[in-house]
Amino acid sequence: MFVDSHCHLSFPELREHLPAIRAAMAEARVDRALCICTTLEEFDEVHALAREHDNFWATAGVHPDNEGVREPTVDDLIALAARPKVVALGETGLDYYRLGTRTVADMAWQRERFRVHIRAARATGKPLVIHTRSAAEDTLRLIDEEGAAEVGGVFHCFTETRDVARAVLERGFYLSFSGILTFKNAAELREVAAEVPLERCLIETDSPYLAPVPHRGKQNNPSYVPYVAAELARLKGLSVETVAQATRRNFERLFGIPAAD
């Protein structure tokens, strides 16, 4: 019934407990998940999850925060995107949150990496899974400069303002909401989520991070995504079932995944 559109099941703290996590998912009626790649070095493990389980899919990409890893080329990403059950490019984007002593100008390498992902997405026709933090203006600018709206995608774990949400929607992208939506200090985000049309919403856990209330502070996993659905349903005055079905359809539409029997 529920779909987790963004999780990191290849991370060791989750991978070593995968049978228990899959059992918890089944009990919570979470029957599909997208396993997100954050480095080229990690790709084989992420892809193995998708190949070994008929209800998992994979992405190919390098997270903007990751330094000291193999830098992707357009050709690298095109080749990985052609693998079975790889449905998107990412996680990619921009993150200026932890600049430290660096300036935005120093992050040119990150912007170039994002451009590479967009070009590969356009070449393959596959959507983008976008991460943006403290960098919305540049993220949107690069999307426009590189023609990313041609393939679309999702802004995952969305935490930006109402104005950014509107700009994302204008460009044809989806917005995905995580357990942050349930946090006490997320009142402004809840206002944004209430306004986003349901047909452009996804839900996610971003496991192993950001466990929703009532599990905040614990290790997250895809079986907790119904809590995100429940909060989104409350904000929109809808049933949880309606939100679950709509976000599932959106997931299938965006990533080209056939509807379940």
Side-chain angles (χ1 to χ4, degrees):
M1 180 177 177
F2 299 95
V3 172
D4 185 352
S5 68
H6 193 110
C7 58
H8 296 282
L9 293 178
S10 62
F11 286 12
E13 60 266 44
L14 294 181
R15 184 65 189 257
E16 65 184 13
H17 300 297
L18 190 59
I21 289 171
R22 286 182 57 82
M25 288 173 64
E27 186 173 351
R29 296 191 297 166
V30 182
D31 60 359
R32 289 184 160 191
L34 181 57
C35 300
I36 302 296
C37 181
T38 64
T39 66
L40 295 184
E41 291 86 345
E42 177 196 21
F43 174 79
D44 285 344
E45 284 193 64
V46 176
H47 191 225
L49 288 167
R51 287 188 291 105
E52 292 165 7
H53 304 284
D54 62 5
N55 60 337
F56 289 168
W57 287 263
T59 69
V62 181
H63 192 290
D65 268 344
N66 284 328
E67 300 183 59
V69 297
R70 180 180 159 199
E71 198 63 39
T73 66
V74 172
D75 287 345
D76 288 334
L77 294 173
I78 289 172
L80 296 180
R83 303 277 187 92
K85 300 194 77 178
V86 176
V87 297
L89 276 298
E91 170 174 2
T92 184
L94 301 176
D95 194 320
Y96 299 161
Y97 184 71
R98 296 186 182 89
L99 287 179
T101 60
R102 296 179 294 188
T103 68
V104 168
D106 293 329
M107 307 307 284
W109 62 271
Q110 208 178 76
R111 292 186 287 277
E112 179 58 26
R113 180 185 288 175
F114 188 25
R115 291 183 189 275
V116 165
H117 282 77
I118 296 173
R119 292 167 187 170
R122 291 187 63 190
T124 61
K126 294 194 173 177
L128 292 153
V129 175
I130 294 176
H131 168 111
T132 186
R133 193 176 188 193
S134 301
E137 183 178 349
D138 274 0
T139 301
L140 292 168
R141 177 175 62 82
L142 266 61
I143 280 173
D144 291 343
E145 289 179 1
E146 294 290 339
E150 184 179 299
V151 291
V154 57
F155 276 62
H156 104 91
C157 193
F158 191 81
T159 55
E160 301 292 334
T161 64
R162 179 182 282 107
D163 287 345
V164 174
R166 289 171 178 166
V168 169
L169 293 170
E170 287 170 1
R171 288 161 174 77
F173 286 77
Y174 290 75
L175 287 79
S176 181
F177 297 99
S178 70
I180 294 174
L181 203 62
T182 70
F183 293 1
K184 185 177 180 180
N185 62 354
E188 291 184 10
L189 179 61
R190 284 189 283 275
E191 292 177 2
V192 172
E195 291 187 6
V196 176
L198 184 57
E199 62 268 22
R200 300 285 284 283
C201 289
L202 295 176
I203 54 175
E204 64 172 272
T205 61
D206 202 12
S207 311
Y209 313 115
L210 305 174
V213 175
H215 300 287
R216 188 174 183 183
K218 300 177 182 177
Q219 187 179 90
N220 202 2
N221 73 77
S223 72
Y224 293 164
V225 81
Y227 293 104
V228 183
E231 181 61 18
L232 190 59
R234 186 189 70 80
L235 292 170
K236 294 185 175 298
L238 300 170
S239 69
V240 176
E241 289 76 12
T242 297
V243 168
Q245 291 169 6
T247 53
R248 182 190 192 93
R249 286 194 300 269
N250 296 344
F251 175 84
E252 292 165 350
R253 183 183 309 116
L254 174 61
F255 296 115
I257 293 171
D261 294 335

